[in-house]
Amino acid sequence: MTGTVLGVLADDLTGGMETAAMLVAEGIDCAFVTDPDMVEASGPAEAIVVAQKTRVIAPGDAVSRTERAARALLARGARQLFFKYCATFDSTDKGNIGPVADMLMRVTGAPVTGFCPSAPGLKRTVYNGHLFLGTELVSESPKRYDPLTPMTDPDLVRVLQRQTAMKVGLLDHPVIDAGGAALEGAVAEKAGQGIRYFILDTIHDRDLDRIAALTSDWKLMTGNATIVQHYPPVWRARGLLSAPPHRRVLPAVNGKGVVLSGSCAERTLEQLADFEKAHPVLRIDLTAVESAASAVAAALAWAMPKLEDGPVGISTSAAPETVAAAQARYGRDGAAALAERIVGDLAVAFRSAGVRRFVVAGGETSGSVVERLGIRSLMVGPYGGPGIGAAVTEDADPVALCLKSGKLGPVDLFARALASMQNPENAA
């Protein structure tokens, strides 16, 4: 192997961790960092994931931060860059998927690239360019109520075209299903028509195999984490990996455990309710908060006595109507910033109080927690299913984390994740 086979640019920490976990599960030696300055210091690695909190920041800031990471990965010799975003294509008409992709095309010199958000195993599929969550169009799912990136148009060709001056086209399912020379020919024909961005129909896992074979030599590819799992077999078949598969088991971490939740996704609300059956949960109502400091003080006063008896949960998550009320009071960005400030301050206080096991729900929330804890790199364990990826800091007093996407994971994830941190060999 020469250099790094894959450099991943993730637009949030939960997705970045999931991507790294999938590569680790496939036997790839994968490093995970949150700061581009750590890329060079990450040591030999077949893949490197740089996860930054760029999904919903201003497009210009997302572009500049991602470009810095991309150039660091290219300097390490990454033969391909992969821009990772959410399976629900979280973005607005201003970005950030389109603007970041435009920059990466320029930096890599890629002539074309693909967009593959699908995760068929999770019933996130694209057909005729339209994004489905199960049997529902994304525009008819709860995702239409997302407080930051509501998805109200299911046609990803239209969604992406509003974000970029590049010509966007579709590789529909019949040509994806044909694969091989037919698929390569379709790309060449459409590229000759000026199309540079391809939305990729994907409804089966076998479609991902065909897409991986098509794109494994492209300078740039984009999508959800799921497609990344399909690259290692292609790399091995093409002799790009000289080392045998790498097996990684995380060290056990004991100490107090806490769940911190900022996601308002329906799945997270269900997980909180399940966790509360056996553990105390404090729900912070942002519409009644006087200040972040007062909310943090009250939460700590509630939690500290209870931590001696086991894990606790603290949440700023809420149903859509409560989120709307908080946004009416503070503004959309103000409400999100307040929630992240509260959870970030709590994480710092809990770590000082001896908490060493954290489950954090929500991509933006996870970014705030990791940033406030000053974590710049993590050892990521193998993927165990949606939302079950785990990691440990690499220092003398390690902290274990499970950074969970708001929309993913089994209902009983919180308690299971905290328990698995104490015995990773038995993790689900």
Side-chain angles (χ1 to χ4, degrees), residues 108-424:
T108 61
V112 297
T113 194
F115 294 78
C116 184
S118 296
L122 299 176
K123 298 183 179 180
R124 271 67 167 165
T125 57
V126 176
Y127 181 66
N128 284 341
H130 287 61
L131 179 59
F132 288 82
L133 306 189
T135 59
E136 294 180 316
L137 289 166
V138 67
S139 55
E140 297 174 5
S141 77
K143 180 63 188 170
R144 69 187 185 274
Y145 299 122
D146 190 290
L148 297 179
T149 53
M151 293 297 291
T152 57
D153 186 349
D155 186 332
L156 296 188
V157 174
R158 285 196 306 247
V159 170
L160 184 58
Q161 192 65 80
R162 291 195 291 266
Q163 300 179 34
T164 179
M166 297 279 192
K167 190 173 181 181
V168 182
L170 172 68
L171 290 174
D172 61 16
H173 193 258
V175 72
I176 295 290
D177 191 49
L183 181 52
E184 292 174 3
V187 171
E189 178 183 355
K190 290 178 179 290
Q193 299 167 3
I195 293 174
R196 294 292 177 263
Y197 287 170
F198 294 95
I199 300 295
L200 301 162
D201 268 6
T202 316
I203 58 178
H204 305 296
D205 279 340
R206 65 175 180 268
D207 300 331
L208 295 173
D209 289 331
R210 292 170 171 81
I211 292 168
L214 169 72
T215 63
S216 63
D217 290 327
W218 288 12
K219 294 180 179 180
L220 173 67
M221 180 58 183
T222 87
N224 173 51
T226 304
I227 179 65
V228 173
Q229 297 176 101
H230 295 255
Y231 283 119
V234 178
W235 297 337
R236 291 193 170 96
R238 297 183 181 178
L240 297 173
L241 301 174
S242 58
H246 177 82
R247 182 176 185 269
R248 179 183 294 171
V249 177
L250 296 180
V253 175
N254 292 301
K256 300 180 180 71
V258 166
V259 172
L260 297 173
S261 176
S263 168
C264 298
E266 184 177 356
R267 173 55 82 176
T268 294
L269 299 179
E270 294 169 347
Q271 290 162 334
L272 279 169
D274 184 81
F275 184 74
E276 195 173 19
K277 293 176 183 177
H279 303 281
V281 172
L282 174 66
R283 290 175 171 80
I284 299 174
D285 182 355
L286 294 181
T287 63
V289 167
E290 295 182 2
S291 68
S294 64
V296 169
L300 290 172
W302 172 88
M304 289 304 183
K306 296 177 174 60
L307 278 171
E308 299 303 322
D309 297 322
V312 303
I314 299 180
S315 170
T316 61
S317 307
E321 58 272 15
T322 305
V323 172
Q327 290 181 335
R329 178 174 177 181
Y330 302 108
R332 190 198 75 166
D333 294 340
L338 176 61
E340 291 169 24
R341 172 69 183 276
I342 291 170
V343 174
D345 286 354
L346 283 170
V348 172
F350 280 132
R351 185 174 183 179
S352 297
V355 172
R356 292 296 178 267
R357 293 178 293 139
F358 290 89
V359 174
V360 188
E364 296 304 303
T365 307
S366 295
S368 296
V369 167
V370 170
E371 186 176 272
R372 292 297 310 281
L373 292 179
I375 296 170
R376 301 171 70 201
S377 66
L378 287 164
M379 179 191 301
V380 176
Y383 182 67
I388 307 178
V392 175
T393 58
E394 300 178 85
D395 51 37
D397 186 18
V399 170
L401 299 117
C402 173
L403 308 182
K404 187 200 85 72
S405 168
K407 299 176 282 293
L408 296 178
V411 169
D412 62 348
L413 171 63
F414 293 166
R416 286 172 56 188
L418 287 168
S420 71
M421 293 169 185
Q422 296 175 303
N423 191 355

